[in-house]
Amino acid sequence: MRVDIITIFPEYFGPLDLSLIGRARAAGLLDIAVHDLRTWTHDVHRTVDDTPYGGGPGMVMRPEPWGEALDALVPAPAVAAGGSDPDLAGAGEAASAGAGNAEPAGAGGAEPAGADGAGAAPARLVVPTPAGERFTQAMANRLAGERHLVFACGRYEGIDQRVLDHAATRMPVSEVSLGDYVLFGGEVAVLVMLEAITRLLPGVLGNAESLADESHAHGLLEAPGYTKPARWRGLDVPDVLRSGDHARIARWRRDQALLRTARRRPDLLARAVAELDDRDLAVLAGAGFRIEQPDMAK
Ligand code: JBK
């Protein structure tokens, strides 16, 4: 997978050299380039923001540097894409032409856009914003299937909307939110999304089983985990986990997952309810949770 990140704080992305993402990059599974947005400014102060039209607090990111950055990193398509595609439904299928725009002088470190050959899937622009569609495991799964992701990190009160509207004429665009809280900008959100996405790429994790079992993979929270010693500060590991009875262990873990999800994330349980069997429902009822099975006849 090819990833371009555009930011005014490239230093935020130092952690991408570490741990499993760093190893995946070194192994050639993942090609990440971080670009300083100010590369595409032309005034002495390298200005990236200005006051908002219509008034109000804060500053908005100017469109011109963003437009040049996207021109440099994503080649112009032969055919216009189908417009904004926030739900990742895959509507934008325009083929990319190979003729990438040249980078401005001094674009140190930027990779040539010509990597997007004719006929390749277009790049997807991902813009982290509190106004975006919610990022989920399902979205991470879909994004992990993309060939080329371009992340645009906004600061201040965000990026001039015309940048996204113009980009949407040539590539699919997703405005994505991690959650309902306020950050200084999109940089940390990109680190989170990239970790969720890249660990799904073939060869990055090396252990497909741990992908299948973890929290959110089945719509339930994961059961608690324990390791040695069996007794620590007066607290014992649950006996069942030391029983060697694998069927009993699997049932216990399932019960713990159900009860945790019911207590902590009733929203998740409500969505998983169609997949619960009679035994699951009995466990929940025994703990005082009344779960309505949806009536399929309705
Ligand atoms: C937030 O993805 N987000 O959740 C996000 C991105 C950029 C700024 C923000 O305040 N919440």
Side-chain angles (χ1 to χ4, degrees), residues 135-145 193-205 211-212 214:
F135 185 73
T136 61
Q137 188 63 44
M139 191 186 289
N141 289 331
R142 290 193 294 272
L143 291 173
M193 291 181 206
L194 268 182
E195 186 153 319
I197 293 162
T198 58
R199 61 191 293 285
L200 299 172
L201 299 177
V204 171
L205 204 62
L211 280 181
E214 61 206 337

Side-chain angles (χ1 to χ4, degrees), residues 212-227:
D213 240 24
E214 61 206 337
S215 287
H216 302 300
H218 297 300
L220 296 177
L221 302 183
E222 207 172 4
Y226 300 87
T227 186

Side-chain angles (χ1 to χ4, degrees), residues 127-131 135 154 156 176-187 189-190 193:
V127 185
T129 159
F135 185 73
Y156 319 111
V176 180
S177 170
L178 289 189
D180 298 333
Y181 37 78
V182 181
L183 305 173
F184 283 131
E187 282 77 7
V190 168
M193 291 181 206

Side-chain angles (χ1 to χ4, degrees), residues 116-156:
D116 294 34
R124 175 178 291 275
L125 179 64
V126 180
V127 185
T129 159
E133 182 189 356
R134 187 64 166 268
F135 185 73
T136 61
Q137 188 63 44
M139 191 186 289
N141 289 331
R142 290 193 294 272
L143 291 173
E146 298 274 354
R147 182 189 60 81
H148 183 185
L149 295 174
V150 179
F151 289 96
C153 300
R155 283 263 146 181
Y156 319 111

Side-chain angles (χ1 to χ4, degrees), residues 13 65 84 184:
F13 296 94
S84 185
F184 283 131

